[in-house]
Amino acid sequence: MTRFTRFTRTTAFKLSLLYITVFTVISGILLVYIAENTDHLMSEQVVQTIDAELNGLSEVYVRGGVRNLVETIDRRTRHPDASLYLLVDFSGNALVGNIARLPTMVLEEADGGLRRVRYTRLGVDTEDVERQAMVRTFELRGGFRLLVGRDLGDQLRFSNLLGNALRLWLAVVVVMGAITWLFVSRRVMKRIDDISASSRAIMNGDLSERLSIAGNDDEFDRLAINLNVMLERIEILMQSMKDVTDNIAHDLKTPLTRLQTRIETALRDAKNEQGYREALEATLEETDHLLRIFNSLLRIARIESMAPGTVLEPVDLNKLVAEIADLYEPLVEDEGGRLDINLPDGLMADCNRDMINQVLVNLIENALKYGRPEAGDLVISLSGRIEGERVILSVSDNGPGIPHKDLDRVQDRFVRLEESRSEPGTGLGLSLVKAVARLHGGDLRFKNEAPGLTARIDLKPVTPVSSGSNDGQGNAAGTRS
């Protein structure tokens, strides 16, 4: 396929050709209409002038006879204008006028009809020039014939000028349309070619490729921005999938290897029923651990596949936090610490109650496992507040915190810092919290407080319907310990 053929098949070419055709046809119709109406108007003016001349000369003839008529025509022919006169006798001899030659049938048919004729004007410089005129011929008493007309030279020149202007205008329309098409098609084709090149790079595996943005905020820029956001999301998901695959291959290899080793050891060394039972119990424990990992992965995948806002409803956070506090206060106290709750009255958010409950449970359990200080009692704080246009929920402890370089990495799947390897877990709890935060249009953030660590997520706030919407749970909004 040649470059020209490819251009002619583009939408830009077809639209430009359509616009040129429509605009040319409309312009042509408009100019032809103007030309025809102008010609009609000028013809009417010619007829009115001829009729006025005839009426005037008829009155002269009635009042003064042929002699006065001849004198009047002679005076008028001395002025070089567009008026034409010719008076002949019954034999066809010219008595007076400014016409040298014209078809004889015009004088013979002296019925007063309007005719368009060719003639030669009387004069030294004009006798050899054939012209066009509009004339009327009348027969007078005594066999005289009077011709009065109007030269059409000015009208024809104006018509030619208008016709030339029409042709020039149509040519300009076509040329400007072609120039516009070349400019638009080259610009549009360049943008489309850029999109195609970026698409090919992405299809070849370069997920970091992005569509170019010209910066003029046209429809191509808006399309490119939206596609770039989509590509960024796809890249994150693909990278997340790769990380999950790598982490599964790495982190599941150890429990599967232990599972295989236990079975092989039982088959080789077990001598009695007790030995087989112990091996089966250990195998069952490893199997439960693997099932917990896969269940956590499935739950994260389900959350990430949900559209934001599809499972949200107004939730009383005071009531939700009070229920969590009732459950975890005894556990924290058993670990020799305390759980502080600090939420303002009437704090509500658009969220999924079960998911936010799971988020706060995960963060509190993380604080119980890894937030114990080197000296003193463990203090876990669960607080909430409105910041700007978002509701902030945070869980803080007074432990050693997380190294600054690992603050973002701990949110990835199967990531467990060296300090937490001794504690049971799958490394998926914070990944679930991050997925839930993103589903709610927010994010999970960590901040070292020195001492301690604060984990926070943000939600969309709502205004409570009434003060009674807390169902008597408003007392949980104060500070508890």
Side-chain angles (χ1 to χ4, degrees):
M1 183 183 297
T2 64
R3 184 178 180 85
F4 177 75
T5 304
R6 187 162 64 92
F7 269 143
T8 57
R9 292 186 178 182
T10 60
T11 302
F13 174 81
K14 294 176 182 178
L15 287 177
S16 300
L17 184 61
L18 176 63
Y19 293 153
I20 291 173
T21 303
V22 171
F23 195 70
T24 301
V25 170
I26 292 175
S27 299
I29 292 174
L30 179 62
L31 290 175
V32 169
Y33 174 79
I34 293 174
E36 290 184 350
N37 280 272
T38 302
D39 185 71
H40 179 70
L41 178 62
M42 295 182 68
S43 298
E44 285 186 350
Q45 290 178 344
V46 168
V47 172
Q48 291 173 2
T49 302
I50 292 174
D51 291 342
E53 292 275 2
L54 281 173
N55 291 332
L57 293 176
S58 297
E59 292 179 1
V60 170
Y61 177 73
V62 171
R63 289 197 306 267
V66 174
R67 181 181 297 276
N68 286 343
L69 179 60
V70 170
E71 292 177 354
T72 301
I73 293 175
D74 183 62
R75 281 197 307 271
R76 293 185 179 183
T77 56
R78 296 178 186 277
H79 301 287
D81 57 11
S83 296
L84 299 175
Y85 308 96
L86 182 63
L87 179 64
V88 298
D89 59 15
F90 61 92
S91 301
N93 298 317
L95 301 179
V96 67
N98 55 1
I99 297 178
R101 289 191 302 272
L102 83 164
T104 56
M105 61 176 296
V106 175
L107 294 175
E108 292 175 356
E109 299 177 357
D111 55 1
L114 190 67
R115 292 180 176 83
R116 191 180 185 115
V117 301
R118 290 186 174 275
Y119 79 100
T120 302
R121 194 181 183 97
L122 186 66
V124 178
D125 300 328
T126 60
E127 286 187 355
D128 295 332
V129 180
E130 192 175 50
R131 303 168 179 266
Q132 292 189 48
M134 192 74 70
V135 300
R136 286 184 189 275
T137 306
F138 285 91
E139 186 173 356
L140 305 177
R141 292 191 307 272
F144 297 100
R145 293 183 179 87
L146 174 63
L147 181 148
V148 178
R150 191 76 177 175
D151 188 273
L152 299 179
D154 292 340
Q155 183 178 353
L156 292 175
R157 282 192 295 272
F158 182 80
S159 297
N160 290 333
L161 179 64
L162 199 59
N164 292 333
L166 170 61
R167 289 186 287 272
L168 178 62
W169 170 252
L170 294 179
V172 169
V173 167
V174 173
V175 171
M176 292 302 297
I179 294 174
T180 303
W181 167 73
L182 287 174
F183 172 77
V184 172
S185 63
R186 286 177 63 87
R187 184 172 181 273
V188 171
M189 286 300 297
K190 183 179 183 303
R191 298 297 296 273
I192 293 177
D193 288 341
D194 290 343
I195 293 175
S196 299
S198 299
S199 300
R200 284 192 297 271
I202 294 169
M203 287 187 292
N204 290 332
D206 184 9
L207 295 180
S208 63
E209 180 70 20
R210 295 292 182 269
L211 304 181
S212 61
I213 298 175
N216 49 18
D217 197 29
D218 60 2
E219 60 276 9
F220 283 102
D221 270 3
R222 294 193 293 272
L223 175 63
I225 290 172
N226 291 334
L227 289 178
N228 284 341
V229 173
M230 180 187 70
L231 290 172
E232 183 176 355
R233 178 62 176 161
I234 291 174
E235 183 182 11
I236 292 174
L237 292 176
M238 293 297 292
Q239 184 62 41
S240 176
M241 183 181 298
K242 180 179 180 299
D243 292 342
V244 169
T245 304
D246 294 342
N247 289 328
I248 287 176
H250 180 270
D251 282 49
L252 295 187
K253 181 179 180 180
T254 299
L256 288 173
T257 301
R258 285 202 304 265
L259 188 62
Q260 182 183 21
T261 301
R262 291 180 186 277
I263 295 174
E264 290 175 349
T265 301
L267 291 174
R268 185 180 64 250
D269 299 336
K271 304 298 183 182
N272 51 38
E273 182 180 348
Q274 182 63 29
Y276 286 113
R277 176 176 290 278
E278 291 176 357
L280 287 174
E281 290 175 351
T283 301
L284 182 60
E285 183 179 348
E286 291 292 345
T287 304
D288 289 340
H289 179 65
L290 289 174
L291 288 174
R292 285 196 300 272
I293 291 176
F294 281 113
N295 287 334
S296 297
L297 287 173
L298 288 174
R299 186 169 189 185
I300 294 172
R302 291 193 191 100
I303 293 173
E304 289 181 338
S305 65
M306 292 180 182
T310 57
V311 291
L312 308 186
E313 60 182 2
V315 173
D316 184 353
L317 296 180
N318 296 98
K319 183 177 180 180
L320 175 63
V321 170
E323 293 174 356
I324 294 175
D326 290 339
L327 177 63
Y328 275 90
E329 269 185 336
L331 297 178
V332 176
E333 291 175 357
D334 289 343
E335 295 292 331
R338 74 174 190 270
L339 178 63
D340 293 342
I341 307 298
N342 186 13
L343 274 79
D345 291 333
L347 186 63
M348 298 186 69
D350 266 330
C351 60
N352 182 280
R353 179 185 178 88
D354 294 335
M355 290 184 182
I356 297 303
N357 181 81
Q358 185 64 55
V359 162
L360 296 179
V361 167
N362 283 10
L363 294 178
I364 292 174
E365 289 184 349
N366 270 5
L368 279 170
K369 291 179 182 178
Y370 314 118
R372 187 178 299 279
E374 295 182 0
D377 296 333
L378 169 64
V379 178
I380 300 176
S381 298
L382 202 167
S383 60
R385 67 183 184 280
I386 294 180
E387 187 176 290
E389 297 183 355
R390 303 292 288 178
V391 170
I392 307 299
L393 288 179
S394 59
V395 176
S396 305
D397 59 53
N398 59 339
I402 298 176
H404 183 73
K405 61 182 178 64
D406 295 324
L407 286 177
D408 293 329
R409 193 171 70 89
V410 293
Q411 303 180 35
D412 296 336
R413 298 176 188 180
F414 295 110
V415 171
R416 302 188 69 199
L417 303 182
E418 292 301 324
E419 295 82 356
S420 63
R421 290 290 180 179
S422 59
E423 295 287 344
T426 62
L428 295 172
L430 294 181
S431 297
L432 186 143
V433 174
K434 180 180 179 181
V436 172
R438 286 190 172 180
L439 178 64
H440 288 76
D443 205 354
L444 169 64
R445 294 185 183 136
F446 292 100
K447 181 181 179 183
N448 283 311
E449 302 291 353
L453 177 74
T454 296
R456 53 172 280 179
I457 64 169
D458 55 296
L459 309 171
K460 180 182 177 182
V462 294
T463 303
V465 177
S466 65
S467 59
S469 63
N470 291 341
D471 298 329
Q473 299 293 334
N475 293 332
T479 300
R480 298 177 50 173
S481 61

